[in-house]
Amino acid sequence: MEVRPDWHDYFLGIAEAVAKRGECTRSRVGAVLVKDRRIRSTGYNGAPQGAPSCLLGACPRATSNAIPGVSSYDDPATACIAIHAEANALLFASKDDCQDATLYITRAPCSGCERLILGAGILRVITPEGEFSRGNGVLYKAI
């Protein structure tokens, strides 16, 4: 008998597929915004629309010796030109889409995206590493 994936695995699988469109040469990330078990928006990381792509060598961070997690995303010498997957998913969603919704992401959000997620009214974030919930103005990992 064939087993169907549960909802979390289903939407994480879609986030994985969305990530394949990512333009970052270091890490492709996908995000799927879901409310009432319906996809409201998706996003992947990449250069702003009309800007040169990371895949074409336009990203200073990709061509530098920047150490992920150590060097600044905003330092001009190692700046990341990509809009993160979470931000892109939120840019193409309405405020109503975001309120009390769940965001499925292929990895945990950075602190900047965490602020966007909280500001948008997202209730939960699900990643392959686990679930994060909103509380006291921060996302905390659910036990």
Side-chain angles (χ1 to χ4, degrees):
M1 186 166 119
E2 193 172 330
V3 178
R4 294 171 61 190
D6 67 22
W7 287 108
H8 292 322
D9 290 338
Y10 173 72
F11 289 121
L12 281 174
I14 294 171
E16 292 281 343
V18 170
K20 292 178 181 177
R21 288 282 306 156
E23 294 182 338
C24 180
T25 57
R26 290 180 160 209
S27 177
R28 290 190 169 121
V29 181
V32 178
L33 180 66
V34 175
K35 186 171 181 179
D36 301 324
R37 293 189 180 157
R38 298 287 177 237
I39 296 172
R40 303 300 178 103
S41 181
T42 64
Y44 54 85
N45 55 332
Q49 187 174 355
S53 169
C54 299
L55 296 175
L56 298 175
C59 182
R61 188 167 184 80
T63 57
S64 73
N65 291 326
I67 301 169
V70 176
S71 56
S72 172
Y73 275 89
D74 298 320
D75 181 318
T78 59
C80 176
I81 64 170
I83 297 173
H84 289 190
E86 304 92 322
N88 271 322
L90 296 177
L91 282 169
F92 292 97
S94 72
K95 185 69 174 172
D96 184 58
D97 288 336
C98 295
Q99 289 299 301
D100 299 326
T102 300
L103 188 62
Y104 291 85
I105 317 170
T106 56
R107 64 191 260 186
C110 69
S111 61
C113 287
E114 184 176 322
R115 289 189 301 273
L116 292 175
I117 290 164
L118 289 166
I122 304 296
L123 185 62
R124 296 186 313 167
V125 172
I126 308 289
T127 71
E129 293 81 29
E131 178 177 339
F132 299 81
S133 298
R134 184 176 63 201
N136 298 325
V138 297
L139 284 178
Y140 63 91
K141 189 159 185 166
I143 298 173

